[in-house]
Amino acid sequence: MSSVQDSIIFGNILSTPESAEIWSDHTRTQYYLQFEAELATAQAQLGIIPASAAKLIVKHCDVKYIDFAELKKETELVGYPVLGVVKQLVKKVNDVEAGTGEWAHWGATTQDVTDTATVLQLRDTLELIEVSLAKAISALKSLASKHKATPMPARSNLQQAVPTSFGFKLARLLATLLRHRQRLETLRTTLLTLEFSGAAGTLATLPPTTSSPALGLDCQALLASNLKLKSPLIAWHTERDTIAEYGAFCALLTSTCAKFALDVKLMMQTEVGEVSEPYVPHRGSSSTMPQKRNPISCAYVTAMNATVRQLSASLYEAMVEDHERSTGPWEIEWIVLPQISTLTHATIVKTEELVRGLEVHEDAMRKNLDITQGAIVSEAVMMGLAKKLGRQYAHDLVYKVCQQAAEQHRPIIELLWKDEEVKKTVSREELKGLCDPANYLGYSETMVDRVLETC
């Protein structure tokens, strides 16, 4: 196994078959050939190469004609696979009509083909991510709506803070994924751009003619249109910001998934027990402890995100390229983009599955709200009493009562009701309402609804 997307064992866990296929030698090589076919077509339309030559070139731009064993040897010799592909294409066409194959790859350079093929692979990957992201958003929308009023403890520094709702927790994640959906659309506008500019980016191989004063640029625009990509404003051979931006997007998206996975792991602890990963017999089981149900999906999401974040950092290194054609940094992208892409798609797929099948234990959430003997609503009680007793008096009283409740293991409502000033201020029923965590969810439901309305 050279990478997880090639693994028989881990291929469906740390990758997906769809994303692995996009980044396979087969697909990449087909995209090289698609570039050559569309280039020949565009150049024939503009009268740059003979139409008959273009027809034969297009006919042979099929990966089934490629000898991959020969391509492997040629790549190891030259250092790049494009030349080997072009040589095989030229030979196939020349075998049909001598000399005609020489019109293939006319005016193009290796990086034109490589970069454009990479952009097409990134386009396909973003389409996969978009579909899985939509599924995750749909699942979250349903779960957040269902639990928008389900009370649970909010936690600060791993300690219980104030009550919140589980739906509110989910809606925060949902809002973040909606922002990622916007980022994906923005990314497309810059990333999906053709590279066809020749050796140093000046497109000097297709000079202007009397009848076509912008022949090279016309060819560039037509090729971009044929490939359904944007035409570049200027060459970007050694300007790799959009590729790095793609890596940043993947790091952001998977980090959001990992934050959710971390929360699920913490909520799955035996002493907490508020949620469980989707149940499948023996999933997450231990080889020595039969009682265990490990958060295995969360573990994979965490590991994949950490890897994506590290790999995406190398794309910033790849931005620091010398002059008009680089000596080394470019190849970094070849190494890390397949892994970043397949790991990212697997991460969002795992996250969607986790949300869709998540088991929510409302009884445990309620039980955990009660373990502090009411201290979790100390803020609510303080604010409620402060209106009549004054803020400082109420603060000091509630602080003292919370300490006593912890020491004596008694509910704070009992200790508060012993205070004569409290009895003069509120009724027992009013105090009970102040001490109910479900009554102190703030604008949780309203905010959840606001997020749901934007989906």
Side-chain angles (χ1 to χ4, degrees):
M1 182 187 80
S2 59
S3 61
V4 290
Q5 63 260 32
D6 300 324
S7 172
I8 296 173
I9 297 172
F10 292 107
N12 286 345
I13 298 176
L14 302 174
S15 179
T16 63
E18 301 92 339
S19 61
E21 176 59 29
I22 290 170
W23 293 94
S24 67
D25 289 340
H26 182 279
T27 300
R28 182 179 59 253
T29 304
Q30 184 59 64
Y31 277 143
Y32 292 161
L33 292 166
Q34 184 179 346
F35 177 97
E36 300 295 350
E38 297 298 352
L39 176 63
T41 299
Q43 291 180 338
Q45 287 179 266
L46 295 170
I48 297 170
I49 70 171
S52 58
K55 185 176 180 180
L56 279 179
I57 291 167
V58 170
K59 181 179 178 180
H60 289 88
C61 283
D62 192 315
V63 74
K64 70 183 181 182
Y65 293 117
I66 296 297
D67 181 337
F68 278 92
E70 179 62 29
L71 180 57
K72 176 178 181 291
K73 288 194 297 182
E74 186 76 16
T75 302
E76 290 169 353
L77 174 65
V78 176
Y80 310 106
V82 170
L83 181 58
V85 171
V86 172
K87 285 176 69 174
Q88 289 193 40
L89 172 61
V90 170
K91 184 178 184 304
K92 288 288 184 184
V93 176
N94 281 342
D95 286 345
V96 176
E97 186 175 317
T100 303
E102 308 305 323
W103 292 107
H105 196 66
W106 193 259
T109 192
T110 293
Q111 191 164 355
D112 289 335
V113 183
T114 305
D115 279 350
T116 300
T118 297
V119 167
L120 294 174
Q121 289 173 292
L122 293 174
R123 177 201 64 191
D124 290 354
T125 303
L126 286 177
E127 288 176 359
L128 286 182
I129 291 172
E130 182 180 39
V131 170
S132 295
L133 182 57
K135 291 180 180 178
I137 287 171
S138 175
L140 269 172
K141 183 178 179 181
S142 176
L143 201 59
S145 178
K146 179 179 179 181
H147 291 287
K148 64 182 179 180
T150 301
M152 67 170 291
R155 294 179 171 93
S156 170
N157 292 304
L158 296 179
Q159 307 296 305
Q160 288 196 9
V162 295
T164 186
S165 77
F166 186 52
F168 183 77
K169 190 178 189 73
L170 294 170
R172 291 184 356 247
L173 171 63
L174 176 57
T176 309
L177 292 186
L178 292 174
R179 292 194 293 274
H180 289 319
R181 186 169 67 182
Q182 292 177 326
R183 290 186 179 101
L184 191 154
E185 283 306 309
T186 301
L187 178 61
R188 278 193 173 116
T189 63
T190 53
L191 178 64
L192 304 187
T193 301
L194 171 75
E195 179 66 285
F196 173 59
S197 303
T202 61
L203 207 52
T205 50
L206 298 175
T209 65
T210 304
S211 58
S212 300
L215 182 63
L217 296 177
D218 290 343
C219 181
Q220 186 185 71
L222 186 54
L223 174 58
S225 177
N226 289 349
L227 289 168
K228 295 180 174 57
L229 298 174
K230 286 181 63 178
S231 188
L233 186 64
I234 195 169
W236 52 276
H237 286 148
T238 48
E239 280 68 44
R240 316 302 291 182
D241 55 296
T242 58
I243 304 296
E245 188 179 13
Y246 169 80
F249 167 75
C250 291
L252 284 168
L253 176 59
T254 58
S255 292
T256 294
C257 296
K259 182 269 188 288
F260 177 62
L262 175 60
D263 282 356
V264 171
K265 283 189 285 186
L266 293 172
M267 293 169 74
M268 277 186 69
Q269 292 180 99
T270 306
E271 296 83 357
V272 180
E274 293 174 346
V275 299
S276 298
E277 282 196 359
Y279 177 72
V280 178
H282 302 296
R283 179 164 177 78
S285 59
S286 166
S287 62
T288 57
M289 295 169 281
Q291 86 282 6
K292 290 192 70 184
R293 183 174 169 186
N294 295 318
I296 199 67
S297 291
C298 293
Y300 283 130
V301 168
T302 301
M304 290 189 289
N305 163 246
T307 306
V308 169
R309 281 190 282 119
Q310 293 299 315
L311 292 176
S312 66
S314 66
L315 293 175
Y316 295 104
E317 184 69 28
M319 288 181 67
V320 187
E321 300 197 349
D322 45 293
H323 298 303
E324 282 64 58
R325 296 291 290 276
S326 71
T327 51
W330 183 40
E331 285 80 355
I332 293 172
E333 296 174 3
W334 305 3
I335 299 168
V336 303
L337 280 176
Q339 297 175 72
I340 289 173
S341 299
T342 53
L343 287 167
T344 297
H345 187 233
T347 299
I348 190 65
V349 167
K350 287 283 183 294
T351 301
E352 185 270 328
E353 292 172 350
L354 179 61
V355 173
R356 193 167 297 281
L358 193 68
E359 296 181 4
V360 182
H361 308 305
E362 296 182 41
D363 55 339
M365 292 178 179
R366 183 70 220 198
K367 179 182 177 183
N368 289 336
L369 283 168
D370 295 336
I371 62 176
T372 61
Q373 303 292 338
I376 194 169
V377 289
S378 61
E379 182 184 73
V381 174
M382 180 192 74
M383 296 301 291
L385 296 178
K387 296 174 184 177
K388 296 181 180 179
L389 296 178
R391 186 186 182 284
Q392 194 58 51
Y393 181 91
H395 174 276
D396 293 344
L397 171 63
V398 174
Y399 178 83
K400 180 182 70 174
V401 165
C402 285
Q403 302 306 308
Q404 292 174 344
E407 293 169 2
Q408 300 173 23
H409 301 289
R410 295 174 63 190
I412 65 169
I413 189 171
E414 291 184 12
L415 298 171
L416 284 166
W417 196 245
K418 292 172 64 177
D419 186 279
E420 292 302 322
E421 290 299 316
V422 171
K423 287 183 178 179
K424 294 176 185 178
T425 303
V426 295
S427 68
R428 174 82 180 193
E429 196 62 29
E430 288 175 317
L431 187 61
K432 183 179 178 182
L434 289 175
C435 291
D436 185 351
N439 292 333
Y440 199 64
L441 299 181
Y443 294 94
S444 296
E445 289 188 58
T446 301
M447 293 184 187
V448 171
D449 286 334
R450 288 200 308 196
V451 174
L452 295 175
E453 287 169 6
T454 65
C455 292

